[in-house]
Short mmCIF file of all heavy atoms in Angstrom, two decimals:
data_model
loop_
_atom_site.label_atom_id
_atom_site.label_comp_id
_atom_site.label_asym_id
_atom_site.label_seq_id
_atom_site.Cartn_x
_atom_site.Cartn_y
_atom_site.Cartn_z
N VAL A 1 0.83 -1.28 0.01
CA VAL A 1 0.05 0.01 0.05
C VAL A 1 0.90 1.26 0.00
O VAL A 1 0.23 2.44 -0.17
CB VAL A 1 -0.92 0.05 1.24
CG1 VAL A 1 -1.93 -1.11 1.19
CG2 VAL A 1 -0.15 0.09 2.51
N TRP A 2 2.13 1.19 0.13
CA TRP A 2 2.98 2.36 0.38
C TRP A 2 3.12 3.26 -0.85
O TRP A 2 3.37 4.42 -0.75
CB TRP A 2 4.38 1.81 0.92
CG TRP A 2 4.23 1.16 2.25
CD1 TRP A 2 4.36 -0.14 2.53
CD2 TRP A 2 3.82 1.79 3.44
NE1 TRP A 2 4.12 -0.43 3.76
CE2 TRP A 2 3.72 0.76 4.46
CE3 TRP A 2 3.51 3.12 3.84
CZ2 TRP A 2 3.41 1.02 5.71
CZ3 TRP A 2 3.12 3.38 5.22
CH2 TRP A 2 3.05 2.27 6.10
N HIS A 3 2.94 2.69 -2.09
CA HIS A 3 3.06 3.43 -3.31
C HIS A 3 1.73 4.34 -3.36
O HIS A 3 1.84 5.46 -3.68
CB HIS A 3 3.14 2.63 -4.52
CG HIS A 3 2.17 1.54 -4.65
ND1 HIS A 3 1.96 0.61 -3.65
CD2 HIS A 3 1.37 1.12 -5.75
CE1 HIS A 3 0.95 -0.27 -4.04
NE2 HIS A 3 0.61 -0.03 -5.36
N TYR A 4 0.62 3.75 -2.87
CA TYR A 4 -0.61 4.61 -2.78
C TYR A 4 -0.48 5.68 -1.67
O TYR A 4 -0.89 6.85 -1.92
CB TYR A 4 -1.84 3.71 -2.41
CG TYR A 4 -2.08 2.57 -3.42
CD1 TYR A 4 -2.24 1.22 -2.97
CD2 TYR A 4 -2.18 2.86 -4.72
CE1 TYR A 4 -2.53 0.25 -3.91
CE2 TYR A 4 -2.48 1.84 -5.69
CZ TYR A 4 -2.59 0.58 -5.21
OH TYR A 4 -2.83 -0.45 -6.16
N TYR A 5 -0.04 5.36 -0.56
CA TYR A 5 0.28 6.29 0.51
C TYR A 5 1.11 7.39 0.05
O TYR A 5 0.84 8.59 0.29
CB TYR A 5 0.87 5.58 1.76
CG TYR A 5 1.09 6.58 2.92
CD1 TYR A 5 0.03 7.03 3.74
CD2 TYR A 5 2.46 6.91 3.26
CE1 TYR A 5 0.26 7.93 4.70
CE2 TYR A 5 2.62 7.78 4.32
CZ TYR A 5 1.58 8.25 5.08
OH TYR A 5 1.86 9.12 6.16
N GLY A 6 2.30 7.10 -0.66
CA GLY A 6 3.18 8.15 -1.15
C GLY A 6 2.46 9.04 -2.13
O GLY A 6 2.63 10.30 -2.09
N ARG A 7 1.58 8.54 -2.98
CA ARG A 7 0.87 9.39 -4.00
C ARG A 7 -0.15 10.30 -3.31
O ARG A 7 -0.29 11.44 -3.65
CB ARG A 7 0.23 8.55 -4.97
CG ARG A 7 1.20 7.88 -5.92
CD ARG A 7 0.55 6.68 -6.63
NE ARG A 7 1.64 5.91 -7.32
CZ ARG A 7 1.36 4.72 -7.87
NH1 ARG A 7 0.19 4.18 -7.86
NH2 ARG A 7 2.45 4.04 -8.34
N ILE A 8 -0.75 9.68 -2.20
CA ILE A 8 -1.77 10.59 -1.48
C ILE A 8 -1.03 11.76 -0.79
O ILE A 8 -1.49 12.89 -0.86
CB ILE A 8 -2.54 9.79 -0.34
CG1 ILE A 8 -3.49 8.80 -1.11
CG2 ILE A 8 -3.35 10.70 0.50
CD1 ILE A 8 -4.19 7.73 -0.15
N MET A 9 0.10 11.47 -0.17
CA MET A 9 0.90 12.51 0.49
C MET A 9 1.36 13.57 -0.50
O MET A 9 1.28 14.82 -0.24
CB MET A 9 2.02 11.91 1.26
CG MET A 9 1.59 11.01 2.45
SD MET A 9 0.76 12.01 3.82
CE MET A 9 -0.96 11.50 3.46
N ALA A 10 1.87 13.09 -1.66
CA ALA A 10 2.33 13.99 -2.66
C ALA A 10 1.27 14.86 -3.23
O ALA A 10 1.43 16.12 -3.40
CB ALA A 10 3.12 13.27 -3.75
N ALA A 11 0.01 14.31 -3.38
CA ALA A 11 -1.11 15.09 -3.99
C ALA A 11 -1.51 16.11 -2.88
O ALA A 11 -1.88 17.34 -3.30
CB ALA A 11 -2.24 14.12 -4.28
N LYS A 12 -1.52 15.70 -1.65
CA LYS A 12 -2.04 16.64 -0.52
C LYS A 12 -1.00 17.78 -0.54
O LYS A 12 -1.37 18.90 -0.36
CB LYS A 12 -2.10 15.90 0.81
CG LYS A 12 -3.24 14.98 0.81
CD LYS A 12 -3.26 14.28 2.17
CE LYS A 12 -3.41 15.15 3.39
NZ LYS A 12 -3.36 14.34 4.67
N ASN A 13 0.31 17.60 -0.68
CA ASN A 13 1.31 18.57 -0.70
C ASN A 13 1.14 19.50 -1.88
O ASN A 13 1.70 20.73 -1.84
CB ASN A 13 2.69 18.03 -0.67
CG ASN A 13 2.99 17.31 0.67
OD1 ASN A 13 2.45 17.66 1.70
ND2 ASN A 13 3.92 16.31 0.63
N ALA A 14 0.54 19.02 -2.87
CA ALA A 14 0.27 19.81 -4.13
C ALA A 14 -1.13 20.50 -4.01
O ALA A 14 -1.63 20.94 -5.07
CB ALA A 14 0.35 19.06 -5.34
N ASN A 15 -1.67 20.55 -2.82
CA ASN A 15 -2.94 21.23 -2.62
C ASN A 15 -4.11 20.52 -3.28
O ASN A 15 -5.25 21.17 -3.53
CB ASN A 15 -2.92 22.70 -3.08
CG ASN A 15 -1.93 23.56 -2.36
OD1 ASN A 15 -1.80 23.37 -1.11
ND2 ASN A 15 -1.20 24.38 -3.05
N ILE A 16 -4.02 19.27 -3.43
CA ILE A 16 -5.18 18.38 -3.75
C ILE A 16 -5.97 18.01 -2.57
O ILE A 16 -5.29 17.67 -1.56
CB ILE A 16 -4.65 17.11 -4.53
CG1 ILE A 16 -3.81 17.54 -5.77
CG2 ILE A 16 -5.86 16.24 -4.92
CD1 ILE A 16 -4.70 18.23 -6.88
N SER A 17 -7.22 18.08 -2.61
CA SER A 17 -8.07 17.65 -1.29
C SER A 17 -7.80 16.26 -1.07
O SER A 17 -7.48 15.46 -1.84
CB SER A 17 -9.47 17.88 -1.71
OG SER A 17 -9.98 16.97 -2.66
N THR A 18 -7.86 16.01 0.32
CA THR A 18 -7.72 14.61 0.79
C THR A 18 -8.63 13.66 0.15
O THR A 18 -8.25 12.59 -0.22
CB THR A 18 -7.85 14.54 2.31
OG1 THR A 18 -6.91 15.57 2.93
CG2 THR A 18 -7.66 13.20 2.92
N SER A 19 -9.92 14.06 0.07
CA SER A 19 -10.85 13.07 -0.57
C SER A 19 -10.56 12.70 -2.04
O SER A 19 -10.58 11.69 -2.40
CB SER A 19 -12.24 13.68 -0.48
OG SER A 19 -12.35 14.94 -1.13
N ALA A 20 -10.10 13.76 -2.78
CA ALA A 20 -9.80 13.48 -4.23
C ALA A 20 -8.55 12.69 -4.35
O ALA A 20 -8.48 11.76 -5.21
CB ALA A 20 -9.61 14.81 -4.96
N ALA A 21 -7.50 13.01 -3.45
CA ALA A 21 -6.22 12.21 -3.55
C ALA A 21 -6.53 10.75 -3.16
O ALA A 21 -6.06 9.85 -3.92
CB ALA A 21 -5.24 12.78 -2.55
N THR A 22 -7.29 10.59 -2.17
CA THR A 22 -7.56 9.18 -1.84
C THR A 22 -8.43 8.47 -2.78
O THR A 22 -8.17 7.32 -3.14
CB THR A 22 -8.37 9.20 -0.39
OG1 THR A 22 -7.61 9.94 0.59
CG2 THR A 22 -8.57 7.76 0.06
N LEU A 23 -9.39 9.07 -3.29
CA LEU A 23 -10.26 8.47 -4.29
C LEU A 23 -9.54 8.14 -5.58
O LEU A 23 -9.71 7.07 -6.12
CB LEU A 23 -11.42 9.41 -4.61
CG LEU A 23 -12.46 8.97 -5.74
CD1 LEU A 23 -13.00 7.61 -5.37
CD2 LEU A 23 -13.61 9.99 -5.92
N SER A 24 -8.52 8.99 -5.89
CA SER A 24 -7.84 8.74 -7.18
C SER A 24 -7.01 7.44 -7.08
O SER A 24 -6.92 6.61 -7.97
CB SER A 24 -6.88 10.00 -7.42
OG SER A 24 -5.89 10.07 -6.56
#
């Protein structure tokens, strides 16, 4: 799952909403 976790964190750092990052 760590590749997914890394993408969520990177998306959040780019001002992507948590829900959108997780859903993606």
Side-chain angles (χ1 to χ4, degrees):
V1 297
W2 298 107
H3 51 313
Y4 300 130
Y5 179 73
R7 289 166 196 166
I8 291 173
M9 292 298 102
K12 288 174 64 178
N13 292 335
N15 297 319
I16 300 295
S17 70
T18 301
S19 59
T22 304
L23 179 55
S24 70

